[in-house]
Amino acid sequence: MSPVEIGSLAVAALLVLIYLGMPIGVGMLAVSFFGVAALRNEVVSLRMLGAVANDSLREYLFAVVPLFVLMGLLVTVSRVGKDTFDVFQQLLRRVTAGLGIATVFANAVFASITGISIASATVFSRVAVPEMSRHGYTKKFATGVVAGSSVLGMLIPPSLLMIIYAVLAEESVGRMFLAGVGPGLLLSVAFSVVILLLAKYRPGFVFEPTANGEGRLDHRGDESDSARALAAKAVPIVALMVVVLGGLYGGFLNPTEAGAAGALGALVIALLRRSLDGRKFWNLLVETGQITVSVLFLILAATFFSRMLALSGVPRELAELILSSPLGPYGFLILYLLLIIALGCLIDSISIMLILLPIALPVAGAAGFDLIWFGVLTVVCVEVGLLTPPFGLSVYIIKSAMNDKDLKVGEIFAGAMPFVAAMLVSIGLIILFPPIATWLARL
């Protein structure tokens, strides 16, 4: 067989192994090893595997993964998410459907100090959904808002998916973080607009048909926190954002140093609030290690897979085929994004990126696309998969965290659909106006 045929067969074999249930990292390593062995020989394959492990995992950059994961877990246990929601709830208490908008912006802020969508979905399903239900919002809408806004965790920096993309695309992590700011704000605004439109034109979707003759309970008369209490809740949030994002965007800290500073700041907050004892801290360290090892193992496997494909010449042949066909660069882009969304219905976010990017990045580079802009589009489309059936990881996380027998998974998916529509519109805007993603990263 020719090298291209071997590479194509390797891709097909990987898809079959994933379908049969093999862990994606193990499948990638196996396919890549046998692919290189077929292209060269077993000795070259073993040496390449050792070189990949040495090159990809010894980089100083990979220290950023455990630091941001630890920071996110510490922030979660220190009740910062609840305080963030309380602050925005108070600020938006006079706005129609204000609790929904408060959830969106609280999630956006929480995302800027965690970077993990699952953490946002877990925290706000326990904090925001009961509060919204108490004030007369339907559970379908309340859980849909939490599911929709949880995707901001992987877009607004710091973001684990942005780190993974930067490594695979050999782009700057700092620039990828900066590129997520504009699209993150765009999505936050789009979600808020969707909430206002639903409240005006589909009140039955948003509010229970109960009190006040308006189909909702009015929460404007609730006893509000004092300005001092509100400030006390806001100070830790703002301080952590200033340390991490201020240091990162101000040029004082690189991504790894920002992660270390953020983890230390989150640890101090957790200790001051007495929400962390020795056992909890040990469990957090173990969980951080487990998440980090799984991510780094996947990156190692993806790097080996990428080198095997490069050796076979599949990406080069694919780029020439697509770019010389009537499909053209933007036809390739649309098909690529649709494929990501389709895969999001079946497998998790990181796996999608690790499978597709080794093939798609050379094509995107040959098409002349800005790889930072391409990365933002990739992450947003990957995040759509968190909300779409049947996989919809954020939806199942919310269902599990709520532990409500009367709440059906279908209700959460239905509540999230308007936010999926908002994400698709936002993707269209980012395609039409690339500076939304690139202006800050290129300063």
Side-chain angles (χ1 to χ4, degrees):
M1 288 191 293
S2 69
V4 172
E5 289 173 335
I6 292 173
S8 302
L9 185 61
V11 174
L14 176 61
L15 296 176
V16 170
L17 290 175
I18 293 171
Y19 178 78
L20 293 175
M22 179 176 284
I24 184 172
V26 177
M28 275 188 161
L29 283 179
V31 164
S32 302
F33 179 84
F34 288 111
V36 174
L39 289 165
R40 294 292 185 267
N41 56 58
E42 291 81 359
V43 175
V44 172
S45 189
L46 282 171
R47 288 178 177 174
M48 183 175 286
L49 177 58
V52 165
N54 183 63
D55 295 344
S56 63
L57 300 186
R58 72 175 182 175
E59 291 187 26
Y60 178 64
L61 172 65
F62 282 104
V64 76
V65 175
L67 291 171
F68 277 120
V69 170
L70 179 59
M71 180 179 70
L73 295 176
L74 286 168
V75 165
T76 301
V77 301
S78 61
R79 302 189 303 277
V80 168
K82 183 180 185 307
D83 287 352
T84 307
F85 176 75
D86 289 344
V87 169
F88 280 98
Q89 176 188 1
Q90 200 60 39
L91 293 174
L92 297 169
R93 67 186 185 278
R94 297 190 180 279
V95 178
T96 302
L99 283 182
I101 299 174
T103 301
V104 170
F105 282 98
N107 241 324
V109 171
F110 192 68
S112 70
I113 49 178
T114 58
I116 305 174
S117 293
I118 293 174
S120 297
T122 303
V123 169
F124 285 92
S125 62
R126 294 171 180 169
V127 171
V129 174
E131 189 70 9
M132 294 173 75
S133 297
R134 187 170 70 85
H135 285 102
Y137 292 79
T138 63
K139 283 187 179 179
K140 177 171 65 175
F141 173 76
T143 53
V145 170
V146 171
S149 56
S150 71
V151 305
L152 297 171
M154 284 299 188
L155 186 61
I156 296 178
S159 162
L160 191 58
L161 286 186
M162 290 289 196
I163 295 171
I164 292 171
Y165 178 86
V167 171
L168 295 177
E170 298 182 357
E171 289 287 343
S172 162
V173 173
R175 289 189 181 277
M176 285 304 305
F177 280 177
L178 289 170
V181 175
L185 294 175
L186 172 64
L187 276 180
S188 300
V189 172
F191 290 163
S192 300
V193 170
V194 164
I195 290 170
L196 291 173
L197 291 174
L198 287 172
K200 182 174 182 180
Y201 296 107
R202 294 283 304 279
F205 186 93
V206 178
F207 306 109
E208 295 285 0
T210 52
N212 296 348
E214 298 180 0
R216 65 182 182 276
L217 296 172
D218 198 336
H219 64 278
R220 299 178 189 178
D222 285 0
E223 182 178 351
S224 61
D225 289 337
S226 66
R228 181 175 296 179
L230 206 62
K233 290 181 177 181
V235 165
I237 306 163
V238 174
L240 205 53
M241 289 179 66
V242 168
V243 169
V244 177
L245 301 183
L248 191 62
Y249 299 156
F252 303 108
L253 303 173
N254 64 35
T256 306
E257 292 165 346
L264 177 60
L267 177 61
V268 170
I269 292 171
L271 291 174
L272 290 176
R273 294 186 166 193
R274 298 180 180 178
S275 58
L276 193 67
D277 55 27
R279 180 179 293 276
K280 280 186 179 178
F281 187 53
W282 173 253
N283 289 337
L284 285 183
L285 291 177
V286 171
E287 188 175 354
T288 299
Q290 291 171 339
I291 294 172
T292 301
V293 168
S294 65
V295 169
L296 296 187
F297 179 75
L298 286 170
I299 291 175
L300 184 156
T303 304
F304 194 17
F305 184 63
S306 180
R307 292 191 184 184
M308 183 276 295
L309 287 178
L311 194 63
S312 72
V314 168
R316 183 184 65 254
E317 292 290 332
L318 189 61
E320 291 177 0
L321 177 64
I322 290 174
L323 298 180
S324 62
S325 72
L327 198 62
Y330 282 92
F332 154 74
L333 178 66
I334 298 301
L335 283 179
Y336 168 72
L337 298 181
L338 290 175
L339 180 59
I340 290 177
I341 294 172
L343 286 175
C345 299
L346 303 172
I347 57 178
D348 65 276
S349 304
I350 293 177
S351 298
I352 294 170
M353 293 180 66
L354 295 180
I355 293 169
L356 293 183
L357 285 176
I359 301 171
L361 282 170
V363 181
F369 290 145
D370 185 318
L371 291 186
I372 287 181
W373 169 76
F374 188 75
V376 170
L377 287 172
T378 298
V379 171
V380 177
C381 283
V382 163
E383 290 293 273
V384 172
L386 291 177
L387 306 179
T388 50
F391 193 76
L393 183 59
S394 281
V395 171
Y396 288 101
I397 290 291
I398 291 169
K399 169 63 177 171
S400 175
M402 290 293 296
N403 195 24
D404 184 347
K405 294 180 180 179
D406 296 328
L407 180 64
K408 306 297 182 186
V409 171
E411 285 186 85
I412 308 176
F413 277 122
M417 283 305 105
F419 301 96
V420 171
M423 293 181 74
L424 295 177
V425 170
S426 299
I427 289 168
L429 290 174
I430 296 169
I431 293 174
L432 292 173
F433 305 104
I436 293 173
T438 59
W439 70 274
L440 194 57
R442 296 303 184 188
L443 288 179

